[in-house]
Amino acid sequence: MGTRLKLSVLAAAALLSATAAQAQYAGTLLARIGVTQISPDVTSGDLSAPAFAGTKADIKSDVQPTGGVTWMWSDNVSVDIPLALGFTHEIVGDGAIAGVGKIGEVKALPITLLMQYRFGDARSTVRPYIGFGPTYAKFYKARSTAALSGLTGGSPTTPTTLSVESKWAATVQLGVSVAINSKWSVDAAVLKTKLSTRTTLSTGQTLDAKLDPTSFTIGVNYAY
């Protein structure tokens, strides 16, 4: 192969590589769609009296379709807003009541704003990033079960109800974006939120817990 031909092939390969790399430069808007799993890492306190000693609760994971919008403020700094319609988490007995199963459920909507730093060049194929920002964890539509009523003196006509306090928390993020072509990329991230809340029953009893959820999300971005 002649020198000129080699140079031509190398130039074409470089051009193809540059074309395939997604542009994430200042002013770019990225729209994301994907799926997210939220897995609480619960440390439960005891349900206040009157209750069996060691009456605790745990919260199960949930997976839902999610999206998001990212705006590149500069070639390396971006602002990200994850979007979701909400998650439904089962509340189950733990500690002294670990065998009773589901005692309730609650819907959760994490509202988060993240400042991100993206490593590498704006046209790099692979761009790891870190993020940090506030989260407002909105809890709503909490529902109890007959098992909870039975444990707390409720009845079918006057069941025990519950509510979960919405709280502010801090979230940290570690992720990576991998370009498919000049417009599309695959995005994956893990987020950790330091979150504590209080559940209050209609009986007046309360239960404090650290939830500290870890979120795993994967999706595809489209660049505008």
Side-chain angles (χ1 to χ4, degrees):
M1 183 181 292
T3 302
R4 289 186 178 179
L5 183 55
K6 287 181 179 179
L7 291 174
S8 297
V9 171
L10 290 173
L15 179 61
L16 180 61
S17 176
T19 302
Q22 182 189 27
Q24 293 186 356
Y25 47 80
T28 302
L29 184 67
L30 305 172
R32 180 176 67 255
I33 187 169
V35 64
T36 298
Q37 175 179 291
I38 297 182
S39 300
D41 182 15
V42 179
T43 302
S44 174
D46 291 350
L47 182 65
S48 62
F52 295 115
T55 297
K56 302 179 185 293
D58 194 10
I59 299 179
K60 298 300 184 180
S61 303
D62 189 34
V63 179
Q64 294 292 335
T66 54
V69 177
T70 305
W71 179 65
M72 297 299 300
W73 183 69
S74 71
D75 287 356
N76 295 97
V77 178
S78 54
V79 179
D80 183 79
I81 303 176
L83 301 174
L85 295 177
F87 296 79
T88 301
H89 296 277
E90 288 190 359
I91 306 171
V92 298
D94 200 9
I97 58 167
V100 303
K102 182 177 177 180
I103 58 175
E105 68 176 33
V106 64
K107 292 185 178 294
L109 179 62
I111 303 168
T112 303
L113 176 66
L114 295 164
M115 290 295 297
Q116 300 171 326
Y117 183 84
R118 294 178 180 252
F119 298 91
D121 183 80
R123 296 187 67 83
S124 297
T125 301
V126 179
R127 298 202 74 184
Y129 60 86
I130 56 175
F132 177 80
T135 292
Y136 183 68
K138 172 68 175 178
F139 294 103
Y140 60 104
K141 292 187 178 180
R143 298 179 180 178
S144 60
T145 66
L148 181 62
S149 289
L151 289 167
T152 56
S155 68
T157 55
T158 56
T160 301
T161 60
L162 59 88
S163 62
V164 181
E165 290 183 12
S166 300
K167 291 284 188 176
W168 284 96
T171 294
V172 294
Q173 179 189 44
L174 179 63
V176 63
S177 178
V178 181
I180 300 172
N181 55 37
S182 61
K183 289 292 185 180
W184 293 94
S185 62
V186 176
D187 191 277
V190 58
L191 300 90
K192 186 68 175 182
T193 302
K194 298 296 291 183
L195 175 65
S196 297
T197 189
R198 168 173 286 188
T199 298
T200 302
L201 307 186
S202 56
T203 58
Q205 296 163 278
T206 60
L207 188 149
D208 295 323
K210 292 181 180 179
L211 306 185
D212 293 350
T214 301
S215 303
F216 304 92
T217 183
I218 187 167
V220 291
N221 287 325
Y222 183 82
Y224 292 90

